[in-house]
Amino acid sequence: MRKTKEEKILSALFIVPSIVLVLVFVYGFIAWTGWVSLTNWRDVFPDFTYVGLRNYIELFQNLRFQIDFKNILVFTVLFLFSCIVIGLFLAILLDRKIRFENVFRSLYLFPMAVSFIVTGVVWRWLLNPGTEATGPIGINMILEQIGLGFLKSRWYTDPNIGIKAVVIAAVWQMSGYVMAMYLAGIRGIPNELSEAAQVDGASIWQIYRYVVLPLLRPITLGAVIILTHISLKIFDLVVSMTGAGIGFSCDVPALFMYDTTFRGNFFAQGAGIATILLISIAILIIPYLRYSLKTGG
Amino acid sequence: MKSFKGLSLLLSVLLVFSLSIPAFSQQKGKIEIFSWWTAGGEAEGLKALFDIYNKKYPNIEIINATVAGGAGTNAKAVLKTRMLGGDPPDTFQVHAGKELTDTWAKTGFMEPLTDLYKSEGWTKVMPKGILDIVFYRGDYWSVPVNIHRANVLWYNRKVFKDNGLTPPKTFDEFFKVADTLKARGIIPFVLGTKDGWEAGHVFETILIAKLGAEGYKGLWTGKTKWSSPKVTDALETLKKIFTYINPDHSAATWDEAYQYIIDGKGAMSIMGDWAAGYFFSKGYTDFGWAPVPETAGIFDALSDSFGLPKGCKNRDNVIAFLKVLCSKEGQEAFNIKKGSIPARSDVNKSLFPEYQRSAMEDWLKDAIVPSVIHGAAAAEGWVTEYKDVISLFVARPDVPTTQKALVQVATRAGVKQ
Amino acid sequence: MQRLNRALLYFALIVFAIFYLLPVYVLLTTSLKNFAEVNLRSMWKLPQSMSLDSFKMAWGGNPLKGLKGLSQNFMNSIYLVVPATIISSLLGSMNGYVFTKWRFRYSDTIFSMIIFGMFIPYQSVLIPMVVVLQKIGLYGSIPGLIFVHCVYGIPITTLIFRNYYATVPTEILEAAKIDGAGFLGIYRRIILPVSMPGFAVVMIWQFTSIWNDFLFGLVVAQKPGIQPITVALNNLAGSYFVEWNIQMAGALLTAIPPLLLYIFLGRYFMRGLLAGSLSGV
């Protein structure tokens, strides 16, 4: 739309405060963090001696960091996949004109209200496998009692599983929200489309597969952004549920960053971890943002 | 004559009055005390200290700034952010020893307390071991409120009696006892490793056992090399202990794991003496204690202490608080509640329960060594890396790799190997 | 066949309902027990004697034992969350309005830059944050904490509103312009009236995030008198061991306000999602 001068000024006034704040508190701080990661700050007393990329080289050789990086990738992929599949599945079910839909919907959604810290505490208990002496406890106990004992697992006490157990808690927390997104999306599809498909003789499943799912793609993309930004920064949940875990099998970069900065006083290394995280996110998200802005608009 | 008498009487009354007006009743204002003592016996002990302080200085408002979690990591995050941001609390809880001196004293954030030590006569009433710990480059830097002992072997007395066992004095005896228990279906050794530091705690007591007091101390000064075969022996011992441990140890914090001992399903563990307080809170009193095998006569000490940050807003109030902390009255009140023992040697033992009495006796005669996992023996960076190495060792018990890592960590901490 | 399908449908829904409810069961039963009874092994057992003591202690603390309860910090959280939610939602609405209806050169790039701000890990900005806040005099106060949450809420609220307003047809705006409405007029008379569902989504999201935030509350509002409820909840734990019954009772109490908000705004929330608040970018 062509704008008058007044309109230009007003629109600027509307967004300039946000832009300025983001520039300072996001990008300014990112720059500061990046700078610190190139220094020798290892003590509470700041030491800004420039050391180039030494901290990064040390980080990539650091066994804990290597494990963390792998963990966060595994976590993100599993978390995204599970939330989207479960969210979509539940949304499809709820769309089938269910009695007590409100009840089910609220039930699936409410975990979002709880803080990650509380979620972590409860799931730590639930997924505690117990031992020979105590027998199975938590979820393992329930599985055994309903005859699904073969599904028992050592969950997060098993170094091969580790962070994957944390995924369960995270999915519990966020899948309801994804379900709500999909449900709204499904409901938003004009009835004419599915009616037309039914007239053409399509079965329910075919309607879902060929009409509904493609139209939900934008929602999936939106869910990916929200879930990714939670997953890459995940901290509270891990701290309260498992800590770093046996052999760092549950450790994540945000936890390492916190530990090394505030417990070990190695501020430069903490800054390095933060910068690596941000660069990884940038590599993934920026191309996606540009693509979907161009096509979606 | 009369007027002279009257005048001198008046003057002497005034003199007596002015001498007896307690200097402290003029104290006003606030004091912000920062710690991670938020619940349980610690919060009660802190409150007891506040009560004593408030009785002396009713006009001073105490701001109790506490942050729980992460064995102090959350508190440290807030503390460091505040110190770096130029907003120091008036005084803060910090482990006595290298955690204080290397983090805060060396970097110029604290004021030395030597004058206070001299004027209050503290150097005469505290054992040399603790004075050494708070001493750095010619000065004393913090006031220890309590002492905890780290090298304690806890055991279920009934389990031992039923199986005809006595607390092991050497590791050979330990493993014999462990085998007997394992055969009877009882978990020989109980621990929770969820928080990442517990294994490091156990390992430091084994290091003391294998290296002796002087050898252990030398690890942190460079006199003892981490490549020493005795360190190898210690690692092998830890590895062997972990074959007798409850399999769910990584899912539990140390206290959650101790339910095994309370229930009689587990027998022994190594932990600091805060375990006694935990047992009592669960209503369990039939526990026994002994020094960790081969460490009899050695007291592995850690201490919570408070110092004087530079530039704090209420300096005089802090100094008054430090005096309360190290007074006989203060130390008795605090430690009875917290379950630790006073740093002072001249307190009234009979006020304390059985475990603490025996600990206090040991405190006065044993060789005192600083705990590393609890911040006394080494700077925070080193402690964190040491903790991480042992934490990895629990999952990957590869002795040569771990020993090499310990050597590297020491080198990075500036101690030549 | 139909009936079998329906039965399976309900079965699946109920299985999932159980999944979502399991943690609540543990939270409730543990908080109704006393500490001696609390035990990993008996987590599924009902309390031998139900007592609300844990709730009372979690809320009011235990002055004799120096335990601080949640009640003192509850109002702090309210003073924090209500203004912060309202302000950050408004900012999001304003931004969303401009980015969808008054686009300009580079508006997409700037929008992306704002969105990217969502991803910054909070631990890494603590120190510069404290320094900057001190310089502008907001450190150590609830207004300071409100400020921080508004700033870091801008990316997500902008994203949500941008998607929501993208569904408002441009023709309506054109019509209004012909009628003589300007920038503000359109905002007030066309956009805002239909924004309720968008606000519902944003406010639920922001309220929940800010109410449950721990790190910023801990560091920016460092004086105990002004800390939010999450810090108090965390402080119910001891430093060497945790009394789980009190902790879980406290957790349940802390979760109530966001839940209440869901109940009140629930209808609008679904409508907001329906209108595409989060349908893609």
Side-chain angles (χ1 to χ4, degrees), chain A residues 107-177:
Chain A
L107 207 60
Y108 299 154
L109 203 53
F110 95 87
M112 208 181 103
V114 176
S115 92
F116 267 129
I117 297 179
V118 172
T119 306
V121 163
V122 174
W123 279 97
R124 172 149 79 106
W125 280 42
L126 287 175
L127 292 182
N128 189 324
T131 60
E132 287 117 51
T134 62
I137 62 178
I139 295 268
N140 278 358
M141 187 196 269
I142 303 243
L143 285 174
E144 194 161 84
Q145 292 190 341
I146 61 174
L148 290 175
F150 61 91
L151 284 176
K152 282 190 310 212
S153 156
R154 302 210 52 77
W155 306 114
Y156 53 85
T157 64
D158 181 345
N160 294 324
I161 300 185
I163 194 85
K164 301 178 198 138
V166 182
V167 173
I168 298 178
V171 169
W172 177 84
Q173 181 124 18
M174 293 308 299
S175 48
Y177 191 72

Side-chain angles (χ1 to χ4, degrees), chain A residues 8-157:
Chain A
K8 280 195 195 159
I9 295 179
L10 281 172
S11 25
L13 276 177
F14 260 36
I15 62 171
V16 156
S18 299
I19 296 180
V20 167
L21 286 173
V22 167
L23 270 176
V24 171
F25 287 87
V26 173
Y27 292 97
F29 289 175
I30 291 180
W32 183 87
T33 305
W35 163 241
V36 169
S37 71
L38 299 173
T39 69
N40 190 34
W41 190 355
R42 288 175 176 260
D43 243 328
V44 181
F45 197 72
D47 176 359
F48 291 122
T49 326
Y50 181 74
V51 296
L53 294 175
R54 193 183 68 196
N55 293 322
Y56 289 100
I57 299 177
E58 274 180 19
L59 264 179
F60 282 115
Q61 294 172 335
N62 183 317
L63 193 57
R64 181 175 180 182
F65 185 71
Q66 291 167 6
I67 298 177
D68 287 355
F69 208 72
K70 188 175 65 93
N71 283 348
I72 198 72
L73 285 177
V74 167
F75 181 83
T76 303
V77 167
L78 284 176
F79 175 56
L80 252 61
F81 182 76
S82 312
C83 277
I84 289 180
V85 165
I86 293 180
L88 184 57
F89 178 65
L90 289 176
I92 292 178
L93 289 185
L94 284 181
D95 185 47
R96 312 304 310 149
K97 293 200 183 40
I98 306 291
R99 285 220 319 232
F100 307 122
E101 179 194 309
N102 280 346
V103 173
F104 280 115
R105 212 177 57 208
S106 312
L107 207 60
Y108 299 154
L109 203 53
F110 95 87
M112 208 181 103
V114 176
S115 92
F116 267 129
I117 297 179
V118 172
T119 306
V121 163
V122 174
W123 279 97
R124 172 149 79 106
W125 280 42
L126 287 175
L127 292 182
N128 189 324
T131 60
E132 287 117 51
T134 62
I137 62 178
I139 295 268
N140 278 358
M141 187 196 269
I142 303 243
L143 285 174
E144 194 161 84
Q145 292 190 341
I146 61 174
L148 290 175
F150 61 91
L151 284 176
K152 282 190 310 212
S153 156
R154 302 210 52 77
W155 306 114
Y156 53 85
T157 64

Side-chain angles (χ1 to χ4, degrees), chain B residues 36 38-39 42-44 47 63-68 74 78 81-82 85 87 254-256 259 263 278 281-282, chain C residues 35 38-39 41 63-67 130 134 139 214 218-219 222-224 234-241 244:
Chain B
W36 54 89
T38 50
E42 306 163 325
E44 289 185 62
K47 185 173 178 304
I63 302 175
N64 183 12
T66 50
V67 184
N74 284 340
V78 178
T81 312
R82 285 184 62 171
D87 175 36
W254 71 268
D255 53 286
E256 285 166 356
Q259 195 65 39
D263 292 341
Y278 177 71
S281 76
K282 284 292 212 164
Chain C
F35 186 46
V38 170
N39 191 318
R41 236 144 308 129
L64 288 172
K65 297 179 125 212
L67 179 75
V130 167
Q134 283 206 315
Y139 176 62
F214 175 68
L218 181 67
V219 172
Q222 86 290 21
K223 299 264 188 287
N234 181 59
N235 280 353
L236 286 178
S239 81
Y240 280 125
F241 60 88
W244 289 111

Side-chain angles (χ1 to χ4, degrees), chain A residues 41 44-45 63-64 67 124 128 131 134 154 156-157 239 241-242 246-248 258-259 262-265 267, chain B residues 73-74 76-77 80-81 84 103-104 107 187 194 247-248 250-251 256 260 380-381 384 387-388 392 395-396:
Chain A
W41 190 355
V44 181
F45 197 72
L63 193 57
R64 181 175 180 182
I67 298 177
R124 172 149 79 106
N128 189 324
T131 60
T134 62
R154 302 210 52 77
Y156 53 85
T157 64
V239 166
M241 183 169 169
T242 57
I246 183 168
F248 295 122
Y258 194 66
D259 243 5
F262 293 110
R263 218 205 278 234
N265 299 330
F267 290 84
Chain B
T73 311
N74 284 340
K76 287 182 190 169
K80 284 168 194 178
T81 312
L84 283 167
T103 311
W104 301 114
T107 48
I187 303 175
K194 179 189 177 273
D248 63 346
S250 59
E256 285 166 356
Y260 284 119
E380 285 184 295
T384 306
K387 169 180 76 80
D388 284 353
L392 258 174
R396 305 175 194 203

Side-chain angles (χ1 to χ4, degrees), chain B residues 319-332:
Chain B
I319 294 184
F321 182 67
L322 294 177
K323 289 187 191 162
V324 168
L325 281 182
C326 211
S327 65
K328 255 178 63 168
E329 191 192 1
Q331 298 231 327
E332 281 163 7

Side-chain angles (χ1 to χ4, degrees), chain C residues 42-85:
Chain C
S42 58
M43 80 169 83
W44 299 114
K45 295 211 187 92
L46 287 170
Q48 280 171 345
S49 57
M50 302 244 187
S51 96
L52 290 177
D53 278 346
S54 314
F55 286 97
K56 286 191 213 137
M57 270 207 268
W59 180 252
N62 191 345
L64 288 172
K65 297 179 125 212
L67 179 75
K68 217 176 100 163
L70 298 175
S71 52
Q72 295 159 299
N73 300 77
F74 182 78
M75 282 318 287
N76 290 341
S77 281
I78 298 281
Y79 292 143
L80 160 68
V81 174
V82 173
T85 302

Side-chain angles (χ1 to χ4, degrees), chain C residues 8-9 19 39 41 55 73 77 79 83 86 106 128 139 141 156 176 184 196 211 227 243 248 267-268 270 278:
Chain C
L8 281 175
L9 193 59
F19 171 64
N39 191 318
R41 236 144 308 129
F55 286 97
N73 300 77
S77 281
Y79 292 143
I86 294 177
Y106 303 128
Y139 176 62
S141 66
I156 185 76
L184 286 175
M196 193 51 198
W211 181 267
Q227 280 172 337
E243 285 181 68
M248 297 211 182
R267 235 183 327 137
Y268 294 109
M270 283 309 293
L278 281 148

